Amino acid sequence: MPSQQPPRTSSSTPIAYFDAHNHIHLSMQGGIPPLTTEAMYLMSGDDNKGPIANTPIESENDISSHADSIVHAFSSKKEEVVRDEFSLRIRGMAIMSTQPRDFPIVKQLANALCDWDTNERSATTIDLRNEMYVVRCYGVHPWFLKRANNDFANCANLSMHHGPAWINYLKYNLESDPTSHVGEIGLDAARYDIDPLTKEKVLAATMESQIEAFESQMHLAADLKRSVSVHAVKCWGPLMNSLNDIKKARMKMRKEHKSLRQRLERERELCESDDERNHIIERLKGIEDDVLILPPIIYFHAFGGKPAVVDQLDAICREKSMTSYVTETFYGFAPVVNFRSPKTESVLQKVGIKRLVLESDLEDYHCVPNDLETSAVFTARVFGMEKDEVIRRTNSNARYIYGLVND
């Protein structure tokens, strides 16, 4: 039975939160701007235009103004009370992309928030060791998948992998931002649009296209050894089938890589010239010798499954299979999504504090601190813990997920 004990209070100074999952970049005025020249050039396949890093971004000013709009509002006199509360109560967050159009904005906003935080606290002599951590996450959300596919419709034949045409652009953003992670991605069988012709309800993106996008992004996260934030609504069967399919494909890849490396090693031993030997050595460098079967950490955000689903997902993700490597699983529960459900307490207890993070899943930064407070109080009651201890433990978990050094 779920615990009904009230949370114990703490006499210590309240500590700040880490919001493991939000979309505050979506609260900016004017919405998300169109794709940048950078994105279109990357997918053009034209090798005569020079290095992509030097490509001008046509909408760079738009991106900066969109990202700066939040920081500007955040820094205004009007927002002084909100800003002070936010700065004191939030010391970390992960901002989740939804589609390729907002990748540059998430990056700009994360950088701008960190710069603002450092400058403000330098001016007020606040301890700089307690700096703001803003994690950038890039991925395509199932609600925005149709738009992403349409944006890259003319590039379908240029993807470096089988899968969505935008996967190269996602790969570019992840590789050029080594501290970034993958999110928000997943499957959703409950999000509908109205078909303009039939006027009937249809899934926002077909389940077939969602699975293709999800598996492509999971493969990329495993290749780059990045954590993943996963969205799943009313699709546990398809999700588990997809995870098993990914594992099978990557187990096959692992065997192929091992076989190829063994063959090349034998050929290197028989080489008669240094040129041949060096050529094989270079080939060996390009073959991954430790193919991950799944991404290193999978974080199921705003988790809506039953306790039995936790066991099933853990069994799939954490299974030891031909390797000592085991994927770690974490879970988050957002007040706006989960706290109306009577099963949430029992699912929290199934997950346990060791694999739990606090998240808001919000677009409006004004509401983030209070939502995290609500979540901490709720969690403290479920576990019979002090609220500050819940915050410390979940902060540590979030920092671990995103590769940040814990104190």
Side-chain angles (χ1 to χ4, degrees), residues 363-376:
E363 298 177 10
D364 188 347
Y365 67 83
H366 294 83
C367 303
V368 167
N370 286 339
D371 256 46
L372 295 175
E373 175 79 9
T374 298
S375 186

Side-chain angles (χ1 to χ4, degrees), residues 41-182:
Y41 162 58
L42 178 62
M43 297 307 300
S44 70
D46 187 345
D47 294 330
N48 298 319
K49 293 185 179 180
I52 186 167
N54 298 325
T55 304
I57 301 178
E58 199 167 69
S59 55
E60 182 176 5
N61 291 334
D62 291 337
I63 293 169
S64 295
S65 64
H66 276 69
D68 288 345
S69 68
I70 291 181
V71 178
H72 177 73
F74 199 63
S75 305
S76 68
K77 185 70 174 177
K78 181 180 178 181
E79 292 284 273
E80 185 173 5
V81 174
V82 173
R83 179 181 71 247
D84 290 347
E85 180 183 33
F86 192 96
S87 183
L88 288 172
R89 296 175 67 189
I90 308 296
R91 289 287 89 204
M93 69 177 79
I95 305 178
M96 300 285 157
S97 302
T98 63
Q99 58 184 306
R101 293 187 182 199
D102 66 16
F103 292 177
I105 297 169
V106 166
K107 184 175 183 178
Q108 289 268 6
L109 177 58
N111 292 342
L113 283 172
C114 288
D115 289 345
W116 174 86
D117 182 72
T118 299
N119 293 336
E120 284 295 302
R121 290 184 302 113
S122 293
T124 57
T125 67
I126 296 176
D127 187 355
L128 290 177
R129 291 173 297 180
N130 190 29
E131 70 266 31
M132 172 80 80
Y133 289 95
V134 184
V135 180
R136 298 166 294 278
C137 297
Y138 306 113
V140 175
H141 189 291
W143 294 4
F144 299 87
L145 176 58
K146 187 179 292 184
R147 175 185 284 179
N149 288 343
N150 289 340
D151 282 343
F152 286 84
N154 295 327
C155 309
N157 63 327
L158 296 173
S159 176
M160 69 172 59
H161 302 289
H162 296 296
W166 40 260
I167 200 70
N168 280 4
Y169 186 51
L170 174 58
K171 184 174 187 288
Y172 164 70
N173 278 272
L174 290 167
E175 288 186 328
S176 61
D177 194 352
T179 61
S180 65
H181 294 274
V182 177

